[in-house]
Amino acid sequence: MTKPATLHEVAALAGVSIKTVSRVVNGTTTVRPDVRDRVLAAVAELQYVPNSFARSLKMGSGDTVGVIIDTIADPFFASLTHAVEARALAAGLNVIFGSTGFTPERERRQVERMAMQRVEALILAPVSGSHAYLEPYRRSFPIVLIDRSIEIEGFDVVAVDDRGITRRAIDHLLAHGHRKIAFVGSDARFPTTVERLVGYEESLAAAGIAVRPEWVRPGPTVDVDAADVVAEMLAEDDQPTAIFAANPRAAVGVAHALHTAERADVAFISFGDFPLAKTLRPAVTYVNQDPEAIGVAAIERVLTHLEAKKLRRKDPTAEIPEDEPRTIIVDTDIVERGSGEVAP
């Protein structure tokens, strides 16, 4: 067995002092970004593990997959992580979770934390921003992206056709006679939401309908409540007759506003299901994003990479096509429950 790397070896490779390595490993924020990057690259290359993790590694946590998502409070990610964990445990792997809180810096720190714990692989829902920092890590363990891609190629991506399925959802409302359709949940931080907005705009354009900027609204964010956004639109003389919610978090706010105002006459489609959606009247029609299918596809890619790693240990020259990065688009459909089929 290869002897574990030491703090001295990391410092020598990075060209810094031992104290600087210790500060980076312990998450001190006063280290210059370029120095921090050099240290983390050395940590990844040498697969250095701080002493504080040694005991946990000896207890078997080395066979661990890290999962980093936006927030566990999101019903989509709750279902996705449940599927990942179930399949991973069946394969004899442990799972640890982290959340980005929708911020790039927190995402980076979560990746660093899991790398320090020597995860065997990482499943990541990335936030918008630069992901150059991932380069050193991808040489140490496989990284599978879920729900969205990043600006760097060469990673596995498991996602859905956000633009295409949103077009189908808006076309569904158009087919039921709607011409005044609002989009709630616009958020430029996420490529998925941007793609859904493009799909919304393309569907309206194909029908010869101009986009109404006042009906393209954010929510929910720190400063915006989707329920308040919908209440504002319903208070105007010229109101939308249908609403498309870009994600389950926004959909919860839309549902609350519609039912508080007793506006069952407003058609409503959610991108993704959410708790109690089918118990409302009318029950909420939704885009079945199938988070469990995304989670299973992601962990299966992880297992494929780990198996390839074992094969290469036996034969370093082996060619393993299944180990090449892939983009997997999970099928989606529209589940009709009544709210999306309301006529104007």
Side-chain angles (χ1 to χ4, degrees), residues 91-123:
L93 296 170
N94 297 311
V95 182
I96 56 174
F97 299 99
S99 62
T100 65
F102 311 105
T103 63
E105 179 58 27
R106 181 165 158 180
E107 173 196 297
R108 179 169 177 160
R109 290 187 179 279
Q110 290 283 23
V111 173
E112 292 172 3
R113 176 177 68 86
M114 292 190 178
M116 295 297 183
Q117 295 183 58
R118 270 189 173 173
V119 293
E120 290 292 315
L122 180 65
I123 296 174

Side-chain angles (χ1 to χ4, degrees), residues 36-108:
R36 180 187 184 86
D37 289 342
R38 292 211 316 271
V39 172
L40 291 175
V43 166
E45 182 174 338
L46 296 175
Q47 296 189 340
Y48 168 72
V49 180
N51 290 335
S52 60
F53 294 118
R55 186 166 183 267
S56 64
L57 289 175
K58 289 178 181 178
M59 294 175 66
S61 63
D63 293 329
T64 302
V65 176
V67 181
I68 302 175
I69 56 175
D70 297 341
T71 170
I72 197 66
D74 188 320
F76 168 78
F77 283 113
S79 296
L80 188 154
T81 54
H82 174 76
V84 169
E85 184 177 45
R87 181 66 182 93
L89 291 175
L93 296 170
N94 297 311
V95 182
I96 56 174
F97 299 99
S99 62
T100 65
F102 311 105
T103 63
E105 179 58 27
R106 181 165 158 180
E107 173 196 297
R108 179 169 177 160

Side-chain angles (χ1 to χ4, degrees), residues 33-330:
D34 61 319
V35 174
R36 180 187 184 86
D37 289 342
R38 292 211 316 271
V39 172
L40 291 175
V43 166
E45 182 174 338
L46 296 175
Q47 296 189 340
Y48 168 72
V49 180
N51 290 335
S52 60
F53 294 118
R55 186 166 183 267
S56 64
L57 289 175
K58 289 178 181 178
M59 294 175 66
S61 63
D63 293 329
T64 302
V65 176
V67 181
I68 302 175
I69 56 175
D70 297 341
T71 170
I72 197 66
D74 188 320
F76 168 78
F77 283 113
S79 296
L80 188 154
T81 54
H82 174 76
V84 169
E85 184 177 45
R87 181 66 182 93
L89 291 175
L93 296 170
N94 297 311
V95 182
I96 56 174
F97 299 99
S99 62
T100 65
F102 311 105
T103 63
E105 179 58 27
R106 181 165 158 180
E107 173 196 297
R108 179 169 177 160
R109 290 187 179 279
Q110 290 283 23
V111 173
E112 292 172 3
R113 176 177 68 86
M114 292 190 178
M116 295 297 183
Q117 295 183 58
R118 270 189 173 173
V119 293
E120 290 292 315
L122 180 65
I123 296 174
L124 170 65
V127 179
S128 293
S130 173
H131 290 85
Y133 79 92
L134 287 177
E135 291 289 0
Y137 298 117
R138 71 194 298 185
R139 294 193 291 269
S140 299
F141 50 80
I143 300 174
V144 178
L145 307 178
I146 51 172
D147 195 42
R148 59 199 77 129
S149 59
I150 59 176
E151 77 283 2
I152 304 173
E153 296 182 353
F155 291 88
D156 284 295
V157 180
V158 182
V160 301
D161 180 8
D162 291 283
R163 183 188 300 193
I165 191 61
T166 298
R167 285 197 62 163
R168 284 175 53 193
I170 304 305
D171 287 347
H172 185 81
L173 293 171
L174 291 168
H176 283 82
H178 295 278
R179 295 297 181 269
K180 297 181 177 181
I181 304 172
F183 183 103
V184 176
S186 176
D187 195 331
R189 294 176 299 173
F190 303 110
T192 48
T193 307
V194 172
E195 285 294 297
R196 292 167 197 173
L197 180 57
V198 171
Y200 163 83
E201 294 170 341
E202 289 178 343
S203 181
L204 292 183
I209 301 172
V211 173
R212 298 271 295 268
E214 68 272 24
W215 288 349
V216 177
R217 304 295 292 273
T221 64
V222 174
D223 302 316
V224 178
D225 186 306
D228 293 340
V229 165
V230 174
E232 290 173 7
M233 288 191 289
L234 296 181
E236 299 293 332
D237 292 335
D238 191 10
Q239 307 170 2
T241 64
I243 298 173
F244 175 80
N247 55 64
R249 298 185 306 279
V252 170
V254 173
H256 176 74
L258 291 179
H259 283 264
T260 297
E262 299 183 346
R263 293 297 302 272
D265 60 309
V266 178
F268 172 33
I269 296 181
S270 167
F271 197 111
D273 200 9
F274 58 93
L276 302 181
K278 64 181 179 181
T279 67
L280 300 174
R281 291 292 178 268
V284 179
T285 293
Y286 71 101
V287 172
N288 182 18
Q289 196 176 3
D290 203 348
E292 292 190 4
I294 295 174
V296 169
I299 190 63
E300 289 296 341
R301 287 305 296 159
V302 164
L303 295 175
T304 295
H305 288 305
L306 296 182
E307 181 61 27
K309 186 176 180 180
K310 292 180 182 178
L311 293 175
R312 286 200 177 90
R313 285 173 180 168
K314 296 179 180 179
D315 181 5
T317 65
E319 293 185 6
I320 309 173
E322 295 83 0
D323 194 36
E324 295 299 316
R326 294 184 178 180
T327 296
I328 299 172
I329 302 300
V330 175

